[in-house]
Amino acid sequence: MNEENGTPRRRLTRAEAKVQTRERLLDAAAHLFASQGFADTGVEEIAESAGYSVGALYSNFDNKEQLFLELLSTRLSDRISSVAEILDADTGGEDPLGNLSRLLVQAADRNAEFVALQAEFWLHAVRNPEFMAAMATQLREQVDALERLVAAALEQRGGEVPGVSARTVTIVVVSLFQGLVRRRLIEPDSVPDDLFGQALRWLFAGLRATASTGAHPDSGAGSNA
Amino acid sequence: MNEENGTPRRRLTRAEAKVQTRERLLDAAAHLFASQGFADTGVEEIAESAGYSVGALYSNFDNKEQLFLELLSTRLSDRISSVAEILDADTGGEDPLGNLSRLLVQAADRNAEFVALQAEFWLHAVRNPEFMAAMATQLREQVDALERLVAAALEQRGGEVPGVSARTVTIVVVSLFQGLVRRRLIEPDSVPDDLFGQALRWLFAGLRATASTGAHPDSGAGSNA
DNA sequence: GTCTATATCAAGATAGAC
DNA sequence: GTCTATCTTGATATAGAC
């Protein structure tokens, strides 16, 4: 029952076991870092929480920092792309903006942990040069994940706006979202459920208005044909 | 030369000396916490940087955490209100939105330290209940500081929008700003100088558009007379 | 590949001198 | 009020057994 089930090996090759150990350690570390912070989480704590001991941890990672970097580089990317899939699946739709905001606010509320972990990464990145690149990538991926949806919303609401790329708008959208989420975690009442949705409607309406009014993207003088 | 200059004491009363020591310690701590993080900054480091020794620190604060909380409660408020004054002074104006974005982006670029310190506080607040209240206050103060300016911009650009308070808009503006600033510190090119200004123009144009179009603040069905 | 035991070090906090 | 010296603890990282 535990042998050759299509694959020629008995249980787990040594290499596979190691991979599994790595994964479990990374999972445990993610939760602990998120809830207690990087500095206040001990390696022993991580190992224990994953069901191993320190030795196993140091056998799989150079040190605590490298584990942290690994988390930033690989793990979060997975999470983000999975969010992207959910969002894409829901894009069938009539009200992309509404979907966007509802799904995202839900997601943010469910795991404040993830938000905290991101903040933790951000702080580490602004201080440690070797984290910057990975952090930049991860921020870019967040934008990538939403860009399609934003583009769809743009098309639906009056088509393209000349001189304004979907990516630029997406950066604004994501930044706004993150700002609101952070505030909401501190003072929930100041950021009602629909505020993000509201802001998005204003933003997109304004994009159309600006386009037709003819305010120029670069200079201050707005003039169109 | 050092006596009774209007005040009846020679130099510094013991109480005043203590206050001065506190201030210097708080200053030093602020810089160190901002650049290295709370956890990675030692009390000895703080004391030394302020020109004192550990004993002085523990004579003025219960412990490292209490010092941190003091910083969050008093120091940052000062800084924010000073920003508010600068902004207010510039409100004479023709283009409040432009002023707003230019001044803020400048301010953010000048001291990334402050941004990092805020993130540090935020993380501490989401984890430690005793920091939450202070953090909420400080977030509120940021909104307070900008609300007048936003209100002015609203009036200038088509007057009040029914059903939308200046404060609500300010919360959006501040959140967006913080989101953009944080991204900019990681990947500067993704957040060009004027992006915030652009976004503000979209936002305010959209506010007017939404008002006249008649999209209702609460429900999803937009219909007007 | 993982565990246990330990070397090493650093940091927070205290106590008594000045 | 502030300083110096020290107590105490806890954490990273290593080494050798299994």
Side-chain angles (χ1 to χ4, degrees), chain B:
Chain B
M1 211 194 263
N2 57 0
E3 284 198 24
E4 42 196 324
N5 214 347
T7 49
R9 8 182 169 62
R10 302 182 319 244
R11 269 192 173 164
L12 241 58
T13 188
R14 243 166 134 84
E16 287 174 329
K18 191 165 185 135
V19 169
Q20 190 183 53
T21 303
R22 276 180 67 92
E23 293 301 309
R24 288 180 177 161
L25 285 167
L26 285 168
D27 264 338
H31 285 115
L32 291 168
F33 287 157
S35 60
Q36 308 178 339
F38 174 71
D40 291 337
T41 300
V43 285
E44 185 165 6
E45 211 175 350
I46 298 171
E48 189 181 9
S49 161
Y52 296 90
S53 63
V54 257
L57 192 154
Y58 279 98
S59 160
N60 284 279
F61 304 94
D62 293 345
N63 49 42
K64 206 172 83 163
E65 276 244 318
Q66 197 253 314
L67 195 166
F68 196 45
L69 182 55
E70 183 101 356
L71 218 49
L72 171 58
S73 306
T74 68
R75 281 326 191 69
L76 294 205
S77 299
D78 296 352
R79 197 132 173 193
I80 290 170
S81 57
S82 73
V83 169
E85 285 168 20
I86 295 175
L87 291 176
D88 262 357
D90 202 309
T91 319
E94 314 146 12
D95 181 19
L97 239 65
N99 291 343
L100 188 68
S101 57
R102 255 180 285 114
L103 284 170
L104 285 180
V105 172
Q106 271 180 21
D109 280 344
R110 279 189 189 283
N111 36 20
E113 265 205 358
F114 182 76
V115 180
L117 190 55
Q118 252 201 216
E120 198 86 26
F121 278 130
W122 184 89
L123 271 171
H124 226 79
V126 288
R127 289 166 185 157
N128 299 63
E130 68 269 28
F131 275 72
M132 286 260 356
M135 187 70 212
T137 300
Q138 115 112 67
L139 285 180
R140 242 179 281 118
E141 285 169 345
Q142 282 184 281
V143 175
D144 292 342
L146 282 188
E147 184 167 353
R148 203 174 316 169
L149 207 55
V150 169
L154 274 175
E155 281 178 29
Q156 179 163 332
R157 298 171 75 94
E160 301 286 319
V161 177
V164 180
S165 71
R167 170 153 276 260
T168 298
V169 178
T170 310
I171 287 173
V172 170
V173 168
V174 172
S175 298
L176 170 62
F177 174 67
Q178 297 198 338
L180 287 175
V181 165
R182 285 200 292 268
R183 178 172 296 266
R184 185 179 232 240
L185 284 173
I186 298 296
E187 201 185 19
D189 292 344
S190 69
V191 184
D193 287 27
D194 192 43
L195 184 53
F196 182 53
Q198 277 251 325
L200 286 186
R201 284 188 283 276
W202 295 333
L203 202 67
F204 279 71
L207 270 163
R208 266 188 308 162
T210 306
S212 53
T213 308
H216 204 275
D218 315 59
S219 80
S223 66
N224 64 349

Side-chain angles (χ1 to χ4, degrees), chain A residues 38 51 65 84 107 116 120 125 141 170 175-176 184 194-195 209 213 219:
Chain A
F38 174 72
E65 276 245 317
E120 198 87 26
E141 284 170 344
T170 309
S175 298
L176 171 61
R184 185 179 233 241
D194 193 42
L195 185 52
T213 308
S219 79

Side-chain angles (χ1 to χ4, degrees), chain A residues 44-197:
Chain A
E44 185 165 8
E45 212 175 350
I46 298 171
E48 188 182 8
S49 160
Y52 297 89
S53 65
V54 256
L57 192 153
Y58 279 99
S59 161
N60 283 279
F61 304 94
D62 293 345
N63 49 42
K64 207 172 81 164
E65 276 245 317
Q66 197 252 315
L67 195 166
F68 196 45
L69 182 55
E70 183 101 355
L71 219 48
L72 171 59
S73 306
T74 67
R75 282 323 192 72
L76 295 205
S77 298
D78 295 353
R79 197 131 173 191
I80 289 171
S81 58
S82 74
V83 168
E85 285 168 19
I86 296 173
L87 291 177
D88 262 357
D90 202 308
T91 319
E94 315 145 10
D95 182 18
L97 238 66
N99 291 342
L100 187 69
S101 55
R102 254 182 286 114
L103 285 169
L104 285 180
V105 172
Q106 270 179 22
D109 280 344
R110 279 189 188 284
N111 36 19
E113 264 205 359
F114 182 76
V115 180
L117 190 54
Q118 252 201 219
E120 198 87 26
F121 279 131
W122 184 88
L123 270 171
H124 225 78
V126 288
R127 290 168 185 155
N128 300 64
E130 67 268 30
F131 276 72
M132 286 261 354
M135 187 70 213
T137 300
Q138 115 112 68
L139 285 181
R140 242 180 280 117
E141 284 170 344
Q142 283 184 278
V143 176
D144 292 342
L146 282 188
E147 185 167 353
R148 203 173 316 169
L149 207 55
V150 169
L154 275 175
E155 281 177 28
Q156 177 161 333
R157 299 171 74 94
E160 301 287 318
V161 177
V164 180
S165 70
R167 170 153 276 261
T168 298
V169 178
T170 309
I171 287 173
V172 170
V173 168
V174 173
S175 298
L176 171 61
F177 174 67
Q178 296 198 339
L180 287 175
V181 165
R182 293 253 273 260
R183 178 173 297 266
R184 185 179 233 241
L185 284 172
I186 299 295
E187 201 185 20
D189 292 344
S190 70
V191 184
D193 288 28
D194 193 42
L195 185 52
F196 182 54

